[in-house]
Amino acid sequence: MTRLASKYEEMMRNGRVLSNRHSIEIIRDRIMQLFGRLDQNDAPDRLIVLEKLWEKYKAEKDSGLGVEAVITAAKIDQAFEAARTDFATWNQMIQLLDMDRKMVESEVKIAKEIKAIMTAEEAGEMVAKLMASIFSAVGSMDTISIHDKGIILKRIQYEFSRITGDFDDATVEAGVVTSQPETIDI
C-alpha cells in the first residue's frame, strides 16, 4: 500500500501529468462552451427552412415582388450564416474531441512510464494479499472464538467482494448483495 501511495504522490507531483490534466480541463470547458452555442432547436430543420425560403424567394421574384424578394433573400443569407456557424462549431468540437482523446492517451502513457497504473491482474493480486493478511491476523487472535472469527472473516470477504464486484456463493452467504459493484477512483 505504501508503494501504491508513493506512486500516486509521484504522479501528482509529475509536471507532465498536472499540465496534461489542466489542458484536458481547458479542452472540455471549450467543448461545453461550443455546445452551448449550437442552435439545437433550429439546426435539424435548417435545410427545410432554406428550401422554403428559396421557393418563396423564387415565387416573389417571378411575381415581380422585388421588395419582398429582397427581404426573403436577406432571410436566406441569415439562414446560411446560421448553418455555416453551426458547421464551424461542430468542426471545432470534433477537433477538440480528438485533442481530448489524444491528451487522455498521453496521460495514460505518462502514468505507464512512471508505473502509476495498476493492471486488473495486479489489483487482483493486491486484493488477494490483503485478504490473506487479514485472514492471518484474525486467525491469530486468541481472544476471539472460532465461530466469531468465521463471522468476521465472512463479513470481510463480503466487503472486499462488494468493493471489487466479485460475488460468488460464499460471498452471498456472508451478506445480502443488493447493489452494483462500487467504483473507487484513485
Side-chain angles (χ1 to χ4, degrees):
M1 288 300 273
T2 322
R3 280 189 294 164
L4 183 62
S6 71
K7 282 296 179 183
Y8 176 76
E9 290 298 321
E10 179 184 347
M11 191 172 91
M12 290 296 95
R13 286 189 310 269
N14 187 308
R16 292 187 307 169
V17 170
L18 296 176
S19 173
N20 206 37
R21 286 193 176 171
H22 183 68
S23 297
I24 289 170
E25 186 178 325
I26 290 169
I27 289 169
R28 290 179 178 169
D29 285 346
R30 180 65 179 148
I31 289 169
M32 292 310 296
Q33 287 173 352
L34 289 170
F35 189 73
R37 260 201 232 165
L38 290 173
D39 191 2
Q40 296 173 3
N41 293 331
D42 293 335
D45 300 324
R46 214 171 291 290
L47 287 176
I48 295 169
V49 169
L50 278 168
E51 181 182 15
K52 288 179 181 178
L53 285 171
W54 179 249
E55 293 300 324
K56 182 179 178 184
Y57 171 78
K58 288 191 313 184
E60 291 169 347
K61 193 160 174 111
D62 290 345
S63 299
L65 301 171
V67 174
E68 289 85 354
V70 170
I71 293 170
T72 302
K75 289 179 182 177
I76 291 172
D77 286 345
Q78 289 173 348
F80 269 117
E81 180 58 25
R84 187 201 62 75
T85 301
D86 280 356
F87 177 78
T89 300
W90 276 110
N91 193 35
Q92 190 176 6
M93 282 178 59
I94 290 168
Q95 290 173 355
L96 288 169
L97 287 168
D98 189 50
M99 286 174 63
D100 181 79
R101 178 189 55 79
K102 288 177 183 176
M103 297 299 285
V104 170
E105 287 174 359
S106 174
E107 185 168 319
V108 169
K109 183 179 176 185
I110 293 165
K112 282 181 182 177
E113 285 175 10
I114 63 173
K115 298 186 183 334
I117 290 181
M118 182 183 286
T119 65
E121 182 180 353
E122 291 167 334
E125 198 173 298
M126 184 178 85
V127 167
K129 287 178 181 177
L130 287 169
M131 290 287 291
S133 66
I134 290 169
F135 281 19
S136 173
V138 171
S140 67
M141 295 179 163
D142 296 332
T143 57
I144 300 174
S145 71
I146 290 177
H147 179 264
D148 288 344
K149 286 179 186 179
I151 292 171
I152 292 169
L153 291 175
K154 278 188 174 186
R155 182 61 192 189
I156 291 169
Q157 182 182 12
Y158 167 75
E159 291 298 331
F160 268 82
S161 297
R162 185 180 59 80
I163 292 168
T164 62
D166 185 22
F167 296 109
D168 59 19
D169 292 338
T171 306
V172 175
E173 287 177 22
V176 178
V177 179
T178 58
S179 64
Q180 294 296 320
E182 192 172 321
T183 301
I184 299 175
D185 294 325
I186 296 179

